[in-house]
Amino acid sequence: MMMLTKKMIQIRGLLQTVGQSEALQLPSIVVIGSQSSGKSSVLEAIVGHEFLPKGSNMVTRRPIELTLVNTPDAHAEYGEFPALGLGKVTDFSQIQKTLTDLNLAVPVQDCVSDDPIQLRIYSPNVPDLSLIDLPGYIQVTSSDQPPELKQKIADLCEKYIQAPNIILAISAADVDLANSTALRSSRKVDPRGERTIGVITKMDLVEPERGVGMLSDKKYGLRLGYVGVICKLPQSSNSLFTRGNGNISSAVMKTENAYFSSHPLEFGPGSELEVGTKNLRKKLMYVLEQTMSASLKSTSEAIQHELAEASYEYKVQYNERPLSAETYLAESLDAFKHSFKGFTEQFGRAHVRELIKHELDQQVLNLLAQRYWNKPFDDLSPPLPEPDSLAELPKADPENPLWHLKLDASSASLTKLGIGRLATTVVANALQSQIDGLISSSTFAAHPFARQTITEASANILRDLSYDISDELEICIKPYKYRIELEDSEWMRGRENISRVLKEELRVCGEAIKHVEVDVGGSRKMKDVMAFIDRVRNGQVVLEGNGIGGAGGFSAALLQKGREAVFLRDRADIIKMRLLAVKSKQCASKKNKYYCPEVFLDAVADKLTTTADLFLDAELLSKFYYSFPRHLDTRLGRNLSPADIDRFAREDPKVQRHLDVVRRKELLEHVLKEMEGLRQLEIRGAGGRRGR
Ligand code: GDP
């Protein structure tokens, strides 16, 4: 018979994991009583341990859903707080402390909370029971308590003592039953006394006759009757058990036996009255079993109803597409790896080359501006005389050491730039941003955890690889630091390429000038301010304080813009001039390299690029392409616990809803099957009992 309660308690635990609806509440025993009525003492006597919060002030602020699980073959007794994930707590004073902390965490202004604390206690010494301990009723609020506390406790209790729950109404023998708040409350919801068990505590504090009178009370007759108990621990054993870890049941029973057997007339074997914690336990087990059994049919129906709803949602919303957190992760990972593979097939040496060459083109332009095109001044002061100005370049004498020095220094600047580090970083950054792009267009976009994991994986691999690769690449380009030999074809390619680069630069300058024009507020205004700046630079106007407070009727900001425009115009002029030079016959042959530093430096950059792209393709790309998917398998596969995977999948609200429906449906199906099994057992049992 007791199987039923055990099973139902298991089912209750399962239903809790999917969030029970009101309809799925399984009956439980709800314990109510006034403060100091001895409510905690009764519960502790049933459990056999002191574990409830104690203190003169009200400490129970949240309902405690106490599930007792009988483990006949086990020796150990322990508690578990399923919501906290603390694991098995074998020290009952620790359970007491946790409960106290959880209660104290309820803000004082809230008084009480109806969010229950779930506590399971496993022991060979407890019966299978499901009890809910509620805050004790208070008569008057003390000065340090909010005035609405009394009402809030009453409301909370009223919510819990509804059918089909059984009410365990605790009253102390030394208080008149007519004044028992517990009985008064239960009477309101159970006027015929059909699901209330009366418990009279502190029987030792009143004369036996008075105790007898209370236990046989007819004013509020209870179908399930009254039980008299004495749950006070004997003084001698009290100190022994203060740490809460010894079993107190036998001590309590000893006290009760001593008292009740010393009053055989009232409580002896001939008496009809029920006394003692032992009997109370038996009664609770029996009544809960009966109530569970009676609710089997209605609970089954409620589950069927919920299941129908879940199945409907599954069908309509999700087209009955099965989903689990694991399959979701596996599919997402596969899809991501697939898109990565696609990327690796199209991103190869040619892309690496383009990236590096583009970077070096910019470096070449910078070098040229620094060493050759040093005409424009980003300043308002008059230009200094420039001896080896650009205009002299076509006339450069191949024997003149100045032009040799200039070109050698420029080429050395390029080769000693730290190409190893630069090229590796450029390519690694490009790979990283490609990975970011792949993540954004994958299902992982909606998953911060996976996003971070993947980004970290690629960043770590790239960082580790880059470290050695940039050094090795630097060694590969070392020969160019000493000597650079150019083929004719290389010269030709350089000439073509630098023309393209210069044209592009010219276009960029043009765009930038247009932007400045818009900023300034039109071409006329820009021309005026540029003309003024030119006059300053030609020494026709003397500027005081470098124009910080504005000058010539122009504000400082406008002068700044004008300066930008002049700089861009001069740069564009130079580039136009150099474009003509590069296209001229003189630059057609590598023999005239001193006239054409642009072509020469481009050809050098091209040589460096060829070495770098070959090396990075072989080292960085192929190693990264190999490692990355493997790292993903580890980080998003093997390294994740089922809880991690679940958390991951639930990051996406859509997936979470889908998973919830699937899980709810599966669980309800499972529970329903169990319930049907129990009903069959019940029907057979009832048949057997009738047959006897
Ligand atoms: P609660 O506030 O309703 O939880 O009451 P407690 O269980 O904390 O008990 C209040 C006081 O009554 C404590 O000092 C207990 O030791 C005492 N007490 C509880 N049960 C009995 C009993 O059966 N007999 C006697 N004499 N005292 C009891």
Side-chain angles (χ1 to χ4, degrees), residues 33-42 44 52-55 136 170 200-205 229-233 238:
S34 299
Q35 238 181 355
S36 298
S37 57
K39 190 160 64 72
S40 313
S41 304
V42 171
E44 291 179 339
L52 288 166
K54 297 276 161 62
I170 315 273
I200 311 293
T201 60
K202 310 190 186 182
M203 292 288 287
D204 56 321
L205 294 185
V229 295
I230 304 170
C231 292
K232 190 182 154 192
L233 290 173
N238 204 9

Side-chain angles (χ1 to χ4, degrees), residues 262-282:
S262 65
H263 300 286
L265 265 179
E266 291 83 359
F267 308 113
S271 150
E272 297 250 293
L273 303 174
E274 280 185 285
V275 288
T277 317
K278 198 170 154 197
N279 285 328
L280 176 63
R281 273 168 66 145
K282 271 198 213 146

Side-chain angles (χ1 to χ4, degrees), residues 329-384:
L329 173 63
E331 280 167 20
S332 309
L333 187 57
D334 274 353
F336 185 76
K337 288 197 311 198
H338 186 75
S339 73
F340 176 70
K341 182 131 204 319
F343 160 72
T344 64
E345 280 158 9
Q346 54 87 20
F347 191 92
R349 188 175 166 194
H351 285 82
V352 173
R353 184 178 175 80
E354 206 176 294
L355 284 169
I356 302 174
K357 189 66 203 326
H358 178 75
E359 185 62 31
L360 290 186
D361 284 346
Q362 295 308 308
Q363 300 289 342
V364 166
L365 286 181
N366 288 346
L367 275 175
L368 288 166
Q370 272 169 30
R371 295 191 187 269
Y372 289 95
W373 306 345
N374 39 12
K375 182 86 177 295
F377 286 89
D378 184 22
D379 202 330
L380 284 179
S381 44
L384 295 169

Side-chain angles (χ1 to χ4, degrees), residues 372 392-408 491 578 586-587 589-598 600:
Y372 289 95
E392 292 177 38
L393 205 46
K395 292 182 258 149
D397 170 8
E399 303 306 318
N400 183 343
L402 175 72
W403 295 111
H404 284 236
L405 263 177
K406 245 176 156 17
L407 195 65
D408 288 349
W491 181 266
R578 294 310 300 163
Q586 262 168 319
C587 282
S589 155
K590 68 179 181 188
K591 273 185 253 136
N592 294 336
K593 64 179 180 184
Y594 299 113
Y595 302 140
C596 315
E598 289 88 353
F600 181 75

Side-chain angles (χ1 to χ4, degrees), residues 120-334:
R120 295 193 190 135
I121 290 176
Y122 298 81
S123 160
N125 308 318
V126 297
D128 287 303
L129 279 182
S130 161
L131 298 149
I132 299 174
D133 183 29
L134 292 168
Y137 292 108
I138 51 173
Q139 311 308 328
V140 274
T141 36
S142 61
S143 57
D144 57 342
Q145 290 169 327
E148 65 272 32
L149 180 63
K150 185 178 166 185
Q151 190 55 43
K152 285 211 169 171
I153 293 176
D155 292 346
L156 178 65
C157 292
E158 193 174 324
K159 188 178 144 190
Y160 272 88
I161 54 179
Q162 302 300 326
N165 284 338
I166 302 146
I167 305 167
L168 196 64
I170 315 273
S171 317
D174 56 351
V175 177
D176 225 359
L177 273 197
N179 290 334
S180 160
T181 320
L183 286 173
R184 265 211 306 274
S185 304
S186 82
R187 207 168 190 163
K188 271 200 236 157
V189 293
D190 178 26
R192 294 171 14 148
E194 283 178 330
R195 51 186 183 89
T196 303
I197 302 172
V199 176
I200 311 293
T201 60
K202 310 190 186 182
M203 292 288 287
D204 56 321
L205 294 185
V206 295
E207 290 303 314
E209 305 81 69
R210 182 161 170 213
V212 169
M214 294 178 106
L215 294 182
S216 39
D217 181 74
K218 292 280 175 299
K219 275 197 224 102
Y220 180 30
L222 299 176
R223 187 174 65 84
L224 302 172
Y226 288 91
V227 184
V229 295
I230 304 170
C231 292
K232 190 182 154 192
L233 290 173
Q235 280 307 315
S236 55
S237 38
N238 204 9
S239 57
L240 260 180
F241 295 110
T242 40
R243 296 273 35 92
N245 280 328
N247 200 298
I248 57 174
S249 299
S250 52
V252 167
M253 266 180 245
K254 231 181 189 164
T255 314
E256 288 182 323
N257 281 343
Y259 178 84
F260 293 125
S261 57
S262 65
H263 300 286
L265 265 179
E266 291 83 359
F267 308 113
S271 150
E272 297 250 293
L273 303 174
E274 280 185 285
V275 288
T277 317
K278 198 170 154 197
N279 285 328
L280 176 63
R281 273 168 66 145
K282 271 198 213 146
K283 193 180 194 85
L284 293 181
M285 287 155 72
Y286 177 75
V287 172
L288 185 62
E289 181 91 20
Q290 292 293 310
T291 314
M292 294 255 185
S293 162
S295 73
L296 261 181
K297 190 161 171 275
S298 61
T299 313
S300 271
E301 282 165 4
I303 293 175
Q304 256 162 7
H305 180 75
E306 296 266 327
L307 178 59
E309 279 186 0
S311 304
Y312 180 77
E313 191 181 349
Y314 182 51
K315 188 172 178 171
V316 174
Q317 304 261 359
Y318 302 102
N319 214 4
E320 305 200 316
R321 190 164 61 86
L323 183 74
S324 73
E326 288 79 9
T327 56
Y328 174 70
L329 173 63
E331 280 167 20
S332 309
L333 187 57
D334 274 353

